[in-house]
Amino acid sequence: MKTLIQFFDSTLGKKLVMGITGLLLFGFVIFHMIGNLQVFMGPEALNKYAHFLKSKSLIVWGGRFWLLALVIMHIYSAIRLTKENRAARGNEPYLEAKPHKATYSSRTMMMSGLIVLAFIIYHLLHFTVLFTNPEFAEFHDEKGRHDVYRMVVVGFSSPIVAFFYITGMALLCMHLNHGVNSLFQTLGLRNQQTRKWIDCFSGGAAWVLFLGNISIPLAVLAGWIKLAGS
Protein backbone atom coordinates (compact mmCIF):
# COMPACT_ATOMS: atom_id res chain seq x y z
CA MET A 1 0.00 0.00 0.00
CA LYS A 2 2.84 2.39 0.91
CA THR A 3 4.54 1.69 -2.41
CA LEU A 4 1.28 2.38 -4.26
CA ILE A 5 0.79 5.67 -2.42
CA GLN A 6 4.38 6.66 -3.21
CA PHE A 7 3.82 5.87 -6.88
CA PHE A 8 0.68 7.98 -7.14
CA ASP A 9 2.50 10.78 -5.32
CA SER A 10 5.27 10.69 -7.93
CA THR A 11 5.28 12.86 -11.05
CA LEU A 12 4.44 9.86 -13.25
CA GLY A 13 1.67 8.79 -10.88
CA LYS A 14 0.07 12.22 -10.88
CA LYS A 15 0.28 12.35 -14.68
CA LEU A 16 -1.46 8.98 -14.89
CA VAL A 17 -4.18 10.07 -12.45
CA MET A 18 -4.76 13.27 -14.41
CA GLY A 19 -4.79 11.42 -17.73
CA ILE A 20 -7.06 8.55 -16.69
CA THR A 21 -9.54 10.78 -14.86
CA GLY A 22 -9.54 13.08 -17.88
CA LEU A 23 -10.24 10.13 -20.19
CA LEU A 24 -13.15 8.97 -18.01
CA LEU A 25 -14.57 12.51 -17.99
CA PHE A 26 -14.07 12.55 -21.77
CA GLY A 27 -16.29 9.46 -22.01
CA PHE A 28 -18.93 11.07 -19.82
CA VAL A 29 -19.03 14.16 -22.07
CA ILE A 30 -19.65 11.90 -25.07
CA PHE A 31 -22.62 10.12 -23.45
CA HIS A 32 -23.94 13.42 -22.10
CA MET A 33 -23.90 14.87 -25.61
CA ILE A 34 -25.67 11.84 -27.09
CA GLY A 35 -28.46 12.23 -24.55
CA ASN A 36 -28.78 15.96 -25.13
CA LEU A 37 -28.94 15.59 -28.91
CA GLN A 38 -32.36 13.99 -28.47
CA VAL A 39 -33.62 17.58 -28.35
CA PHE A 40 -33.61 17.39 -32.18
CA MET A 41 -36.16 14.57 -31.93
CA GLY A 42 -38.65 16.85 -30.21
CA PRO A 43 -40.00 17.39 -26.69
CA GLU A 44 -41.42 13.87 -26.25
CA ALA A 45 -38.06 12.15 -26.81
CA LEU A 46 -36.02 14.52 -24.64
CA ASN A 47 -38.54 14.73 -21.79
CA LYS A 48 -38.97 10.95 -21.77
CA TYR A 49 -35.19 10.51 -21.58
CA ALA A 50 -34.87 13.10 -18.79
CA HIS A 51 -37.75 11.53 -16.86
CA PHE A 52 -36.11 8.09 -17.13
CA LEU A 53 -32.87 9.46 -15.66
CA LYS A 54 -34.77 11.22 -12.88
CA SER A 55 -36.53 7.97 -11.98
CA LYS A 56 -33.12 6.36 -11.40
CA SER A 57 -32.11 8.90 -8.77
CA LEU A 58 -29.79 6.57 -6.83
CA ILE A 59 -27.83 5.72 -9.96
CA VAL A 60 -27.79 9.31 -11.16
CA TRP A 61 -26.62 10.76 -7.84
CA GLY A 62 -24.10 7.97 -7.45
CA GLY A 63 -22.77 8.87 -10.88
CA ARG A 64 -22.64 12.55 -9.94
CA PHE A 65 -20.58 11.84 -6.81
CA TRP A 66 -18.28 9.63 -8.89
CA LEU A 67 -17.85 12.41 -11.45
CA LEU A 68 -17.18 14.90 -8.67
CA ALA A 69 -14.47 12.60 -7.32
CA LEU A 70 -12.91 12.36 -10.79
CA VAL A 71 -12.95 16.15 -11.17
CA ILE A 72 -11.33 16.65 -7.75
CA MET A 73 -8.59 14.10 -8.48
CA HIS A 74 -8.03 15.64 -11.92
CA ILE A 75 -7.72 19.19 -10.56
CA TYR A 76 -5.58 18.12 -7.58
CA SER A 77 -3.12 16.29 -9.84
CA ALA A 78 -2.98 19.22 -12.26
CA ILE A 79 -2.24 21.73 -9.49
CA ARG A 80 0.44 19.51 -7.94
CA LEU A 81 2.14 18.99 -11.32
CA THR A 82 2.03 22.71 -12.10
CA LYS A 83 3.61 23.56 -8.75
CA GLU A 84 6.31 20.92 -9.24
CA ASN A 85 7.12 22.23 -12.73
CA ARG A 86 7.43 25.78 -11.45
CA ALA A 87 9.56 24.69 -8.51
CA ALA A 88 11.85 22.74 -10.84
CA ARG A 89 12.33 25.81 -13.07
CA GLY A 90 12.96 28.09 -10.09
CA ASN A 91 13.43 31.72 -11.02
CA GLU A 92 15.10 30.94 -14.32
CA PRO A 93 13.13 31.68 -17.50
CA TYR A 94 11.90 28.54 -19.14
CA LEU A 95 13.90 28.88 -22.35
CA GLU A 96 14.37 25.22 -23.15
CA ALA A 97 10.65 24.59 -23.62
CA LYS A 98 10.60 26.44 -26.95
CA PRO A 99 6.93 27.39 -26.59
CA HIS A 100 6.65 28.19 -30.30
CA LYS A 101 6.73 24.41 -30.92
CA ALA A 102 4.01 23.70 -28.38
CA THR A 103 0.35 23.80 -29.30
CA TYR A 104 -1.79 26.65 -28.07
CA SER A 105 -3.92 24.26 -26.02
CA SER A 106 -0.87 22.80 -24.24
CA ARG A 107 0.50 26.26 -23.36
CA THR A 108 -2.84 27.35 -21.90
CA MET A 109 -3.82 24.02 -20.29
CA MET A 110 -4.03 25.33 -16.72
CA MET A 111 -5.93 28.50 -17.62
CA SER A 112 -8.36 26.73 -19.94
CA GLY A 113 -8.91 24.12 -17.22
CA LEU A 114 -9.94 26.81 -14.73
CA ILE A 115 -12.29 28.41 -17.26
CA VAL A 116 -13.77 25.00 -18.08
CA LEU A 117 -14.35 24.44 -14.35
CA ALA A 118 -16.21 27.76 -14.15
CA PHE A 119 -18.24 26.72 -17.22
CA ILE A 120 -19.17 23.37 -15.64
CA ILE A 121 -20.24 25.07 -12.40
CA TYR A 122 -22.44 27.50 -14.33
CA HIS A 123 -23.89 24.67 -16.41
CA LEU A 124 -24.87 22.82 -13.23
CA LEU A 125 -26.37 25.96 -11.68
CA HIS A 126 -28.23 26.69 -14.92
CA PHE A 127 -29.72 23.36 -16.04
CA THR A 128 -29.27 20.96 -13.09
CA VAL A 129 -29.64 22.82 -9.81
CA LEU A 130 -31.73 25.55 -11.51
CA PHE A 131 -30.14 28.17 -9.25
CA THR A 132 -29.74 30.84 -11.94
CA ASN A 133 -33.23 30.24 -13.34
CA PRO A 134 -35.49 28.80 -10.62
CA GLU A 135 -38.51 29.30 -12.89
CA PHE A 136 -37.32 26.32 -14.94
CA ALA A 137 -38.53 24.06 -12.12
CA GLU A 138 -42.11 25.06 -12.95
CA PHE A 139 -41.85 23.83 -16.56
CA HIS A 140 -43.94 20.67 -17.03
CA ASP A 141 -45.24 19.02 -20.16
CA GLU A 142 -48.77 17.68 -20.73
CA LYS A 143 -47.78 14.37 -19.07
CA GLY A 144 -46.64 16.10 -15.90
CA ARG A 145 -42.95 15.48 -16.55
CA HIS A 146 -40.32 18.16 -16.16
CA ASP A 147 -40.28 19.94 -19.52
CA VAL A 148 -36.56 19.80 -20.22
CA TYR A 149 -37.19 20.60 -23.89
CA ARG A 150 -38.77 23.93 -23.00
CA MET A 151 -36.00 24.60 -20.49
CA VAL A 152 -33.35 24.13 -23.16
CA VAL A 153 -35.16 26.34 -25.66
CA VAL A 154 -35.76 29.14 -23.16
CA GLY A 155 -32.25 28.82 -21.73
CA PHE A 156 -30.48 29.09 -25.08
CA SER A 157 -32.79 31.80 -26.42
CA SER A 158 -30.44 34.28 -24.76
CA PRO A 159 -27.57 35.03 -27.20
CA ILE A 160 -25.27 35.82 -24.25
CA VAL A 161 -25.92 32.43 -22.61
CA ALA A 162 -25.57 30.63 -25.94
CA PHE A 163 -22.27 32.41 -26.69
CA PHE A 164 -20.94 31.52 -23.24
CA TYR A 165 -21.81 27.85 -23.81
CA ILE A 166 -20.15 27.83 -27.22
CA THR A 167 -17.00 29.46 -25.85
CA GLY A 168 -16.92 27.11 -22.86
CA MET A 169 -17.36 24.10 -25.12
CA ALA A 170 -14.53 25.27 -27.39
CA LEU A 171 -12.16 25.48 -24.41
CA LEU A 172 -13.41 22.15 -23.05
CA CYS A 173 -12.72 20.38 -26.34
CA MET A 174 -9.27 21.97 -26.65
CA HIS A 175 -8.56 20.80 -23.11
CA LEU A 176 -9.78 17.27 -23.85
CA ASN A 177 -7.81 17.09 -27.11
CA HIS A 178 -4.53 17.91 -25.39
CA GLY A 179 -5.39 15.74 -22.38
CA VAL A 180 -5.92 12.60 -24.50
CA ASN A 181 -2.61 13.23 -26.28
CA SER A 182 -0.85 13.71 -22.94
CA LEU A 183 -2.24 10.43 -21.59
CA PHE A 184 -0.90 8.45 -24.54
CA GLN A 185 2.41 10.29 -24.14
CA THR A 186 2.57 9.36 -20.43
CA LEU A 187 1.80 5.72 -21.23
CA GLY A 188 4.64 5.71 -23.76
CA LEU A 189 2.25 4.96 -26.63
CA ARG A 190 2.74 8.21 -28.53
CA ASN A 191 5.75 7.99 -30.82
CA GLN A 192 6.70 8.70 -34.41
CA GLN A 193 4.64 5.75 -35.66
CA THR A 194 1.48 6.35 -33.63
CA ARG A 195 1.49 10.16 -33.33
CA LYS A 196 -0.52 10.69 -36.52
CA TRP A 197 -3.26 8.24 -35.51
CA ILE A 198 -3.48 9.50 -31.94
CA ASP A 199 -3.67 13.11 -33.14
CA CYS A 200 -6.44 12.16 -35.58
CA PHE A 201 -8.38 10.33 -32.89
CA SER A 202 -8.10 13.03 -30.20
CA GLY A 203 -8.63 15.88 -32.66
CA GLY A 204 -11.52 14.15 -34.42
CA ALA A 205 -13.25 13.26 -31.16
CA ALA A 206 -12.83 16.83 -29.89
CA TRP A 207 -14.36 18.25 -33.08
CA VAL A 208 -17.31 15.83 -32.93
CA LEU A 209 -17.96 16.85 -29.32
CA PHE A 210 -17.64 20.53 -30.11
CA LEU A 211 -19.91 20.51 -33.17
CA GLY A 212 -22.44 18.17 -31.55
CA ASN A 213 -22.78 20.25 -28.39
CA ILE A 214 -22.83 23.69 -29.98
CA SER A 215 -25.41 22.53 -32.53
CA ILE A 216 -28.05 22.77 -29.78
CA PRO A 217 -27.69 26.48 -28.82
CA LEU A 218 -27.11 27.40 -32.47
CA ALA A 219 -30.27 25.54 -33.53
CA VAL A 220 -32.27 27.34 -30.83
CA LEU A 221 -30.95 30.76 -31.92
CA ALA A 222 -31.67 29.92 -35.57
CA GLY A 223 -35.24 28.90 -34.73
CA TRP A 224 -34.78 25.28 -35.84
CA ILE A 225 -35.53 24.11 -32.29
CA LYS A 226 -38.48 26.01 -30.85
CA LEU A 227 -41.54 25.68 -28.70
CA ALA A 228 -44.81 24.56 -30.24
CA GLY A 229 -46.76 27.51 -31.59
CA SER A 230 -43.71 29.76 -31.71
Side-chain angles (χ1 to χ4, degrees):
M1 176 63 73
K2 184 177 179 180
T3 303
L4 187 63
I5 293 174
Q6 289 175 337
F7 171 73
F8 283 113
D9 196 47
S10 66
T11 298
L12 177 59
K14 286 190 283 290
K15 285 184 177 180
L16 280 175
V17 169
M18 192 168 75
I20 293 172
T21 54
L23 191 62
L24 291 172
L25 291 169
F26 187 60
F28 167 75
V29 173
I30 292 175
F31 285 106
H32 187 59
M33 179 192 71
I34 292 173
N36 289 341
L37 286 176
Q38 293 187 66
V39 69
F40 287 99
M41 300 169 64
E44 174 59 27
L46 185 62
N47 291 345
K48 182 179 179 180
Y49 168 71
H51 182 72
F52 170 77
L53 291 181
K54 192 173 182 179
S55 68
K56 309 296 180 182
S57 58
L58 288 177
I59 296 176
V60 171
W61 278 104
R64 285 171 177 170
F65 282 119
W66 172 241
L67 288 170
L68 179 61
L70 291 177
V71 170
I72 291 173
M73 288 189 289
H74 189 78
I75 294 173
Y76 175 76
S77 299
I79 292 174
R80 287 287 303 277
L81 285 171
T82 300
K83 287 183 175 180
E84 288 179 6
N85 290 336
R86 289 176 178 172
R89 293 202 302 268
N91 295 323
E92 295 297 321
Y94 197 29
L95 299 177
E96 298 299 322
K98 297 181 181 180
H100 63 280
K101 288 188 176 182
T103 63
Y104 177 78
S105 59
S106 66
R107 296 198 307 271
T108 60
M109 196 67 172
M110 192 64 182
M111 183 57 67
S112 67
L114 292 174
I115 297 174
V116 166
L117 178 60
F119 164 70
I120 292 172
I121 291 173
Y122 175 75
H123 177 66
L124 292 173
L125 293 176
H126 189 206
F127 282 144
T128 303
V129 183
L130 308 183
F131 179 80
T132 61
N133 296 81
E135 69 275 12
F136 288 170
E138 305 302 321
F139 291 177
H140 294 90
D141 63 12
E142 57 186 14
K143 294 184 179 179
R145 301 171 300 194
H146 185 209
D147 198 342
V148 176
Y149 182 89
R150 182 183 176 191
M151 183 177 71
V152 170
V153 174
V154 174
F156 286 137
S157 293
S158 167
I160 296 176
V161 172
F163 176 77
F164 178 70
Y165 267 86
I166 292 169
T167 303
M169 194 53 60
L171 290 171
L172 174 62
C173 291
M174 285 174 54
H175 195 83
L176 291 173
N177 179 30
H178 176 71
V180 171
N181 273 292
S182 296
L183 175 60
F184 282 110
Q185 184 78 34
T186 301
L187 294 174
L189 300 175
R190 194 170 187 270
N191 51 48
Q192 292 291 340
Q193 289 73 37
T194 62
R195 181 180 301 168
K196 177 182 176 181
W197 300 105
I198 292 173
D199 288 349
C200 286
F201 166 74
S202 61
W207 271 108
V208 168
L209 283 173
F210 176 66
L211 295 175
N213 280 294
I214 71 167
S215 68
I216 299 173
L218 288 178
V220 171
L221 291 176
W224 300 332
I225 297 177
K226 57 186 178 180
L227 299 175
S230 303

Short mmCIF file of all heavy atoms in Angstrom, two decimals, residues 1 5 7 13 20 26 34-35 57 59 64 73-74 88 109 113 118 146 159 162-163 171 173 198 211:
data_model
loop_
_atom_site.label_atom_id
_atom_site.label_comp_id
_atom_site.label_asym_id
_atom_site.label_seq_id
_atom_site.Cartn_x
_atom_site.Cartn_y
_atom_site.Cartn_z
N MET A 1 0.84 -1.21 0.00
CA MET A 1 0.00 0.00 0.00
C MET A 1 0.87 1.26 0.00
O MET A 1 0.59 2.22 -0.70
CB MET A 1 -0.92 -0.01 1.22
CG MET A 1 -1.78 1.24 1.37
SD MET A 1 -2.94 1.48 -0.01
CE MET A 1 -4.14 0.21 0.37
N ILE A 5 0.99 4.26 -2.75
CA ILE A 5 0.79 5.67 -2.42
C ILE A 5 1.97 6.50 -2.92
O ILE A 5 1.80 7.59 -3.48
CB ILE A 5 0.61 5.85 -0.90
CG1 ILE A 5 -0.69 5.20 -0.45
CG2 ILE A 5 0.61 7.33 -0.53
CD1 ILE A 5 -0.90 5.20 1.05
N PHE A 7 3.88 5.79 -5.42
CA PHE A 7 3.82 5.87 -6.88
C PHE A 7 2.86 6.96 -7.33
O PHE A 7 3.20 7.78 -8.18
CB PHE A 7 3.37 4.53 -7.48
CG PHE A 7 3.08 4.61 -8.95
CD1 PHE A 7 4.10 4.72 -9.89
CD2 PHE A 7 1.76 4.59 -9.42
CE1 PHE A 7 3.83 4.80 -11.25
CE2 PHE A 7 1.48 4.68 -10.77
CZ PHE A 7 2.53 4.79 -11.69
N GLY A 13 2.96 9.19 -11.44
CA GLY A 13 1.67 8.79 -10.88
C GLY A 13 0.62 9.87 -11.03
O GLY A 13 -0.53 9.60 -11.40
N ILE A 20 -5.98 9.54 -16.76
CA ILE A 20 -7.06 8.55 -16.69
C ILE A 20 -8.37 9.20 -16.26
O ILE A 20 -9.43 8.91 -16.83
CB ILE A 20 -6.68 7.41 -15.73
CG1 ILE A 20 -5.51 6.60 -16.32
CG2 ILE A 20 -7.87 6.49 -15.48
CD1 ILE A 20 -4.93 5.57 -15.38
N PHE A 26 -13.89 12.45 -20.33
CA PHE A 26 -14.07 12.55 -21.77
C PHE A 26 -15.21 11.64 -22.22
O PHE A 26 -16.07 12.03 -23.01
CB PHE A 26 -12.75 12.15 -22.44
CG PHE A 26 -12.71 12.37 -23.93
CD1 PHE A 26 -12.88 13.63 -24.46
CD2 PHE A 26 -12.45 11.32 -24.79
CE1 PHE A 26 -12.81 13.84 -25.84
CE2 PHE A 26 -12.38 11.51 -26.15
CZ PHE A 26 -12.56 12.77 -26.68
N ILE A 34 -24.74 12.72 -26.38
CA ILE A 34 -25.67 11.84 -27.09
C ILE A 34 -27.08 11.98 -26.51
O ILE A 34 -28.07 12.04 -27.25
CB ILE A 34 -25.20 10.37 -27.01
CG1 ILE A 34 -23.91 10.20 -27.81
CG2 ILE A 34 -26.28 9.43 -27.53
CD1 ILE A 34 -23.27 8.83 -27.65
N GLY A 35 -27.16 12.05 -25.18
CA GLY A 35 -28.46 12.23 -24.55
C GLY A 35 -29.08 13.57 -24.90
O GLY A 35 -30.27 13.65 -25.22
N SER A 57 -32.82 7.88 -9.55
CA SER A 57 -32.11 8.90 -8.77
C SER A 57 -30.88 8.36 -8.07
O SER A 57 -29.85 9.05 -7.99
CB SER A 57 -33.06 9.54 -7.75
OG SER A 57 -33.61 8.56 -6.90
N ILE A 59 -28.89 5.91 -8.97
CA ILE A 59 -27.83 5.72 -9.96
C ILE A 59 -27.29 7.06 -10.42
O ILE A 59 -26.07 7.27 -10.53
CB ILE A 59 -28.36 4.90 -11.16
CG1 ILE A 59 -28.77 3.51 -10.71
CG2 ILE A 59 -27.29 4.82 -12.26
CD1 ILE A 59 -29.39 2.67 -11.80
N ARG A 64 -23.07 11.16 -10.16
CA ARG A 64 -22.64 12.55 -9.94
C ARG A 64 -21.52 12.63 -8.91
O ARG A 64 -20.56 13.38 -9.09
CB ARG A 64 -23.83 13.40 -9.51
CG ARG A 64 -24.79 13.73 -10.65
CD ARG A 64 -26.05 14.39 -10.15
NE ARG A 64 -26.93 14.77 -11.26
CZ ARG A 64 -28.17 15.18 -11.12
NH1 ARG A 64 -28.70 15.28 -9.90
NH2 ARG A 64 -28.90 15.52 -12.17
N MET A 73 -9.89 14.75 -8.26
CA MET A 73 -8.59 14.10 -8.48
C MET A 73 -7.85 14.73 -9.66
O MET A 73 -6.64 14.91 -9.63
CB MET A 73 -8.79 12.60 -8.71
CG MET A 73 -9.19 11.83 -7.47
SD MET A 73 -9.15 10.02 -7.72
CE MET A 73 -10.57 9.80 -8.81
N HIS A 74 -8.61 15.05 -10.72
CA HIS A 74 -8.03 15.64 -11.92
C HIS A 74 -7.42 17.01 -11.60
O HIS A 74 -6.28 17.30 -11.95
CB HIS A 74 -9.11 15.78 -12.99
CG HIS A 74 -8.57 16.17 -14.33
ND1 HIS A 74 -7.97 15.29 -15.18
CD2 HIS A 74 -8.56 17.38 -14.97
CE1 HIS A 74 -7.60 15.91 -16.29
NE2 HIS A 74 -7.94 17.19 -16.18
N ALA A 88 10.69 23.28 -10.14
CA ALA A 88 11.85 22.74 -10.84
C ALA A 88 12.54 23.81 -11.68
O ALA A 88 13.77 23.83 -11.81
CB ALA A 88 11.43 21.57 -11.73
N MET A 109 -3.08 25.14 -20.90
CA MET A 109 -3.82 24.02 -20.29
C MET A 109 -4.39 24.39 -18.92
O MET A 109 -5.56 24.13 -18.64
CB MET A 109 -2.88 22.82 -20.17
CG MET A 109 -3.60 21.51 -19.91
SD MET A 109 -4.60 21.01 -21.33
CE MET A 109 -5.11 19.36 -20.82
N GLY A 113 -8.30 25.02 -18.19
CA GLY A 113 -8.91 24.12 -17.22
C GLY A 113 -9.73 24.87 -16.18
O GLY A 113 -10.82 24.44 -15.81
N ALA A 118 -15.19 26.72 -14.35
CA ALA A 118 -16.21 27.76 -14.15
C ALA A 118 -17.42 27.49 -15.05
O ALA A 118 -18.58 27.67 -14.62
CB ALA A 118 -15.62 29.14 -14.45
N HIS A 146 -41.06 16.92 -16.05
CA HIS A 146 -40.32 18.16 -16.16
C HIS A 146 -40.04 18.42 -17.63
O HIS A 146 -39.50 17.57 -18.35
CB HIS A 146 -38.98 18.05 -15.39
CG HIS A 146 -38.22 19.33 -15.36
ND1 HIS A 146 -36.85 19.37 -15.29
CD2 HIS A 146 -38.63 20.63 -15.40
CE1 HIS A 146 -36.44 20.64 -15.28
NE2 HIS A 146 -37.51 21.41 -15.36
N PRO A 159 -28.83 35.09 -26.45
CA PRO A 159 -27.57 35.03 -27.20
C PRO A 159 -26.34 35.04 -26.29
O PRO A 159 -25.34 34.40 -26.61
CB PRO A 159 -27.62 36.29 -28.08
CG PRO A 159 -29.08 36.59 -28.21
CD PRO A 159 -29.68 36.20 -26.90
N ALA A 162 -25.98 31.52 -24.86
CA ALA A 162 -25.57 30.63 -25.94
C ALA A 162 -24.10 30.85 -26.30
O ALA A 162 -23.34 29.89 -26.48
CB ALA A 162 -26.45 30.86 -27.18
N PHE A 163 -23.67 32.10 -26.37
CA PHE A 163 -22.27 32.41 -26.69
C PHE A 163 -21.34 31.88 -25.61
O PHE A 163 -20.27 31.35 -25.90
CB PHE A 163 -22.08 33.92 -26.85
CG PHE A 163 -20.65 34.33 -27.08
CD1 PHE A 163 -20.07 34.17 -28.32
CD2 PHE A 163 -19.89 34.87 -26.05
CE1 PHE A 163 -18.75 34.53 -28.54
CE2 PHE A 163 -18.57 35.23 -26.25
CZ PHE A 163 -17.99 35.07 -27.52
N LEU A 171 -13.28 25.66 -25.34
CA LEU A 171 -12.16 25.48 -24.41
C LEU A 171 -12.14 24.06 -23.84
O LEU A 171 -11.07 23.46 -23.68
CB LEU A 171 -12.27 26.49 -23.27
CG LEU A 171 -12.01 27.95 -23.66
CD1 LEU A 171 -12.35 28.88 -22.50
CD2 LEU A 171 -10.55 28.14 -24.06
N CYS A 173 -13.19 21.31 -25.31
CA CYS A 173 -12.72 20.38 -26.34
C CYS A 173 -11.22 20.53 -26.61
O CYS A 173 -10.53 19.54 -26.87
CB CYS A 173 -13.53 20.56 -27.62
SG CYS A 173 -15.25 20.01 -27.44
N ILE A 198 -3.00 8.97 -33.21
CA ILE A 198 -3.48 9.50 -31.94
C ILE A 198 -3.99 10.93 -32.11
O ILE A 198 -5.03 11.31 -31.57
CB ILE A 198 -2.37 9.43 -30.87
CG1 ILE A 198 -2.08 7.97 -30.52
CG2 ILE A 198 -2.78 10.21 -29.61
CD1 ILE A 198 -0.89 7.78 -29.61
N LEU A 211 -18.83 20.24 -32.22
CA LEU A 211 -19.91 20.51 -33.17
C LEU A 211 -21.24 19.95 -32.68
O LEU A 211 -22.29 20.58 -32.85
CB LEU A 211 -19.55 19.91 -34.54
CG LEU A 211 -18.34 20.54 -35.23
CD1 LEU A 211 -18.01 19.79 -36.52
CD2 LEU A 211 -18.60 22.01 -35.54
#
